[in-house]
Every structure is written in C-alpha cells, then in structure tokens.
Amino acid sequence: MSDHNEKHAARRRTLAYLSAAGLGALTAGLPTLAAAQSKVLRIGYQKYGTLVILKGRGTLEKRFASEGIEIKWTEFTAGPALLEGLNVGSIDFGVAGEAPPIFAQAAGADLVYVGNEPPSPTSEAIIVPKNSTIKTVAELKGKKVALNRGSNVHYLWVKALERAGLEYKDVQTLFLAPADARAAFERGSLDAWVIWDPFLAAAEKQIGARVLEDGTGLVANHQFFLASRSYAEKNPKLLAILLEELDKIDQWGARNLKEVATILAEQTGLDYPTVELAAKRYSYGVKPVSPQVIAEQQKIADVFADLKLIPKKINVRDAVLATKP
C-alpha cells in the first residue's frame, strides 16, 4: 500500500473511532474528506424505514448514475450515532427521529433539516416483559427503565411520565443502546424498555414483550432526513432529487407491504414476521420540512432544555436552510 493510501486509511479509521466514541467535538478543526469525495453521496441509515427500502431496491444508484455520483451506505445503531457521523463529516445525509437532531444541535452540530415523513406514533413504545404485573406507566415509579439517550423515544418517555403524573426523577432511567437494553430486558434486569421499531417489533414477536403504552396521543414521532449544512448549501439540486426518490419509494412501499417486508428482512437480517409488523406501523410519504413541523420540534427542544437534558436552549429554525428569494 502506498504512503498516500495508508494515510487515507488511517484517517478513516480515526474518524470512525471518534464517531463511535462520541468525540466529534475533537475533530471540529480537522478538514473532512468531502472535497476528495465530491462524486460520492454518503448516506447514513438505521435498521428501519425508507432508506433501507431504497437501498434494497437499488433505484437511487440508478438515478444518481446519470449525475455521475456513486452512493455509499453506512449503517448506524441509532440516531445520535448517525448524527455524530454527520457532524464529523463521515456521511453527508441520514435519517433520525425527533430527539437526535435536537441533542445534536444543542451540542453544536451544524446540520439542517431536509425533509420528514408523516407521524408514526405506534412505531415506538414502552414495553414490559410478558410476565410483568405492571399495567400502567404510573406503576413504574421507582423502577428501572432503559432507553437510548437522545433518541426519538426519549421524548415519548418524558411525555408518558408527564401524563402519568410522574416527574422525570421519579423513575430510574438507564441509558442503554438497543442491543444492551435488549439483553438487560431479557435477563429481567429492567422493569420496562422504551424502544422503537424494528427493535420493538422484535421484542414483541421474539420474546413476547407487552406494549404498556405507545406514542398514540403523546407524540408524533416524525422521522427526519438531515444533511450537513455544507453539503446542503453546495448541493440543493441533488438533495431535491434525493427527496423525490425517497417519496417515490415510500409511495411504492405503501402499496407493496409484503415486498417491503421481504426487502427489510434481507437488508436487516431480521425475521419476516418481525419486519412485517414494523412495516405495517411505518408512515409513508416524504415532504420538505414545514414551519408547523419545525414548531413541533421547538416544543420538544424546550422541554429537553427545561429538564436539563440538553445543555442550553436552542432555536430549531437555525437548523433550517434559508430559502433564496
């Protein structure tokens, strides 16, 4: 391997390590590889939703081939890790729920909202083991409940506690990634787990977890498509094409749920019954982010700031690209 290639590989490894360790702030002064990869669109995705379907269908590669652009896909375990990747420059575009972009913006990440899907409140829930005697959220007072810090379910948890008449401090909230939370949940170390699809569907189908409360009447649970500000400002036409392709695949998916479940099973390695259940709960259809949706995000950000879950108040509108006259 040449010295140039060795340096290139080493740098990629370093960025990957920093992203995984949550040390993106340390790389803020480093130039990214974006300039050298101007003909590559780097997309971050998770084990759910439209991007996985789009990846499985291969239609995006065909559309961008005419633009001379290659698509590179990178999987992340959750929204916070994905947006850290966006922040350090390892991806250009990705998807996350409502809470991750708020936590990322509060931490100084320079990202922008590009589009969103309709509400999907049943795609996340508070679950308990199948043999649990707990019937209400109020009964979780003093109990151990796990969730992924800064993920979409974080807001669901806050709102569920509020409706149950509990304060955030009334419950032992443990911050665990999905795989660690699932293991603890199965061991009986947790009284409840706040989680999203397809991990939610997997817990229901594979170990008989019972839904205590989902997002219905509590949260919208939008999925947001986000980009780094620098990429969005330089490539508005490409992002418009990307949103168009996302909406096309969503419209196709809404009419072809069995095919969607087959693709999800192939792409995620999860069993068909699990991904079929998750696919039925998805919301389909992509739109540019509206002022109303941004206002809803601002309410979430204000709640997190009041609870000291983020270090400062933020203006969500700062993460929306100004439209040119």
Side-chain angles (χ1 to χ4, degrees):
M1 182 183 292
S2 68
D3 289 345
H4 173 76
N5 288 338
E6 287 179 356
K7 291 177 180 178
H8 184 76
R11 186 171 186 182
R12 286 175 66 97
R13 288 194 297 271
T14 300
L15 281 175
Y17 169 78
L18 289 172
S19 176
L23 302 177
L26 298 180
T27 70
L30 295 176
T32 71
L33 300 175
Q37 297 179 339
S38 59
K39 295 298 182 182
V40 176
L41 170 56
R42 302 165 300 165
I43 299 177
Y45 69 100
Q46 301 178 53
K47 276 188 182 292
Y48 68 87
T50 303
L51 284 176
V52 178
I53 304 168
L54 193 60
K55 178 176 179 288
R57 289 274 286 174
T59 52
L60 193 64
E61 283 81 356
K62 293 176 183 176
R63 179 72 185 270
F64 274 104
S66 62
E67 304 287 336
I69 295 171
E70 178 189 349
I71 306 298
K72 180 183 176 183
W73 300 91
T74 302
E75 184 181 332
F76 291 85
T77 56
L82 187 150
L83 294 185
E84 182 63 22
L86 200 68
N87 188 38
V88 301
S90 60
I91 58 172
D92 306 305
F93 180 90
V95 65
E98 294 165 329
I102 290 170
F103 277 77
Q105 187 180 350
D110 201 11
L111 53 82
V112 294
Y113 292 86
V114 176
N116 65 270
E117 292 182 329
S120 183
T122 60
S123 293
E124 59 179 5
I126 302 162
I127 59 175
V128 294
K130 63 179 180 180
N131 59 353
S132 173
T133 59
I134 293 172
K135 302 294 184 184
T136 66
V137 172
E139 293 174 61
L140 291 173
K141 185 174 182 177
K143 305 292 187 181
K144 291 183 179 180
V145 180
L147 59 90
N148 195 97
R149 184 181 187 274
S151 289
N152 57 337
V153 294
H154 208 147
Y155 187 58
L156 168 62
W157 181 230
V158 169
K159 297 304 288 183
L161 288 173
E162 182 182 286
R163 187 158 76 178
L166 298 178
E167 293 186 25
Y168 194 81
K169 63 183 180 182
D170 289 338
V171 180
Q172 298 180 57
T173 303
L174 308 176
F175 296 133
L176 297 174
D180 295 331
R182 167 73 181 253
F185 189 78
E186 288 196 62
R187 283 198 308 270
S189 303
L190 300 173
D191 297 290
W193 180 21
V194 196
I195 190 60
W196 63 90
D197 275 330
F199 304 108
L200 167 60
E204 291 177 88
K205 289 289 187 180
Q206 296 168 5
I207 57 175
R210 175 167 53 85
V211 172
L212 190 64
E213 194 162 341
D214 64 23
T216 303
L218 284 175
V219 297
N221 190 32
H222 287 106
Q223 295 302 315
F224 288 102
F225 297 101
L226 304 113
S228 66
R229 184 180 298 274
S230 60
Y231 189 88
E233 289 177 342
K234 293 173 185 175
N235 301 281
K237 291 182 180 179
L238 295 183
L239 287 180
I241 293 172
L242 185 48
L243 280 187
E244 183 182 325
E245 290 298 313
L246 283 166
D247 188 53
K248 281 183 183 178
I249 206 72
D250 257 358
Q251 300 304 331
W252 174 86
R255 299 188 305 268
N256 298 276
L257 289 179
K258 289 185 177 181
E259 289 88 341
V260 164
T262 298
I263 290 172
L264 289 172
E266 292 171 350
Q267 291 291 316
T268 65
L270 294 169
D271 61 274
Y272 185 90
T274 290
V275 293
E276 183 184 34
L277 176 59
K280 288 178 179 177
R281 294 192 286 225
Y282 285 162
S283 61
Y284 295 90
V286 179
K287 301 177 181 178
V289 179
S290 69
Q292 178 184 350
V293 171
I294 291 300
E296 291 175 20
Q297 279 292 91
Q298 187 64 55
K299 290 180 182 178
I300 298 173
D302 291 343
V303 167
F304 285 155
D306 291 342
L307 289 171
K308 309 297 183 188
L309 294 173
I310 56 175
K312 61 182 180 182
K313 284 188 174 291
I314 61 169
N315 186 346
V316 175
R317 286 192 301 273
D318 291 342
V320 178
L321 278 183
T323 55
K324 295 181 180 179

